[in-house]
Amino acid sequence: MEVIPAIDIIGGKCVRLRQGDFNAAHVYDDDPVVAAKKFEAAGLKRLHVVDLDGAKAGYPINLRNIEQIASQTDMILDVGPETAKAFAEIL
């Protein structure tokens, strides 16, 4: 069995929403890269990253944060279709 943790990003910070409420976001790490590196140090190989700002806006907002995770870790990143499309256009 593979455990795949998730990082949800709002305003460039790692958050957890309470019952999906954007107004009830709890920040658990100010830096998504630091959070990703903690998962990687724990031996995890894959990470699901959710751009909650982008999900709300309908287009990617936190691409820079996701790019930093990709470039500063060796983890396989799972992202939503709009984020994946935006990365494909950049590359």
Side-chain angles (χ1 to χ4, degrees):
M1 180 174 79
E2 181 179 18
V3 175
I4 304 172
I7 290 179
D8 298 342
I9 303 173
I10 292 180
K13 297 180 180 189
C14 298
V15 302
R16 283 288 177 244
L17 300 182
R18 185 176 202 191
Q19 297 182 337
D21 184 355
F22 278 74
N23 295 316
H26 170 74
V27 175
Y28 68 89
D29 206 312
D30 289 330
D31 187 343
V33 175
V34 171
K37 286 182 176 184
K38 289 176 187 174
F39 288 128
E40 186 174 44
L44 298 165
K45 306 288 184 205
R46 183 177 220 111
L47 180 66
H48 183 75
V49 183
V50 181
D51 178 358
L52 288 174
D53 291 317
K56 190 173 184 180
Y59 56 90
I61 302 284
N62 291 293
L63 285 177
R64 183 169 181 258
N65 297 104
I66 298 168
E67 186 278 327
Q68 288 173 335
I69 294 169
S71 67
Q72 295 181 39
T73 72
D74 292 322
M75 299 185 84
I76 298 166
L77 300 186
D78 297 327
V79 296
E82 292 301 318
T83 301
K85 180 180 172 185
F87 271 115
E89 291 172 4
I90 291 170
L91 302 175

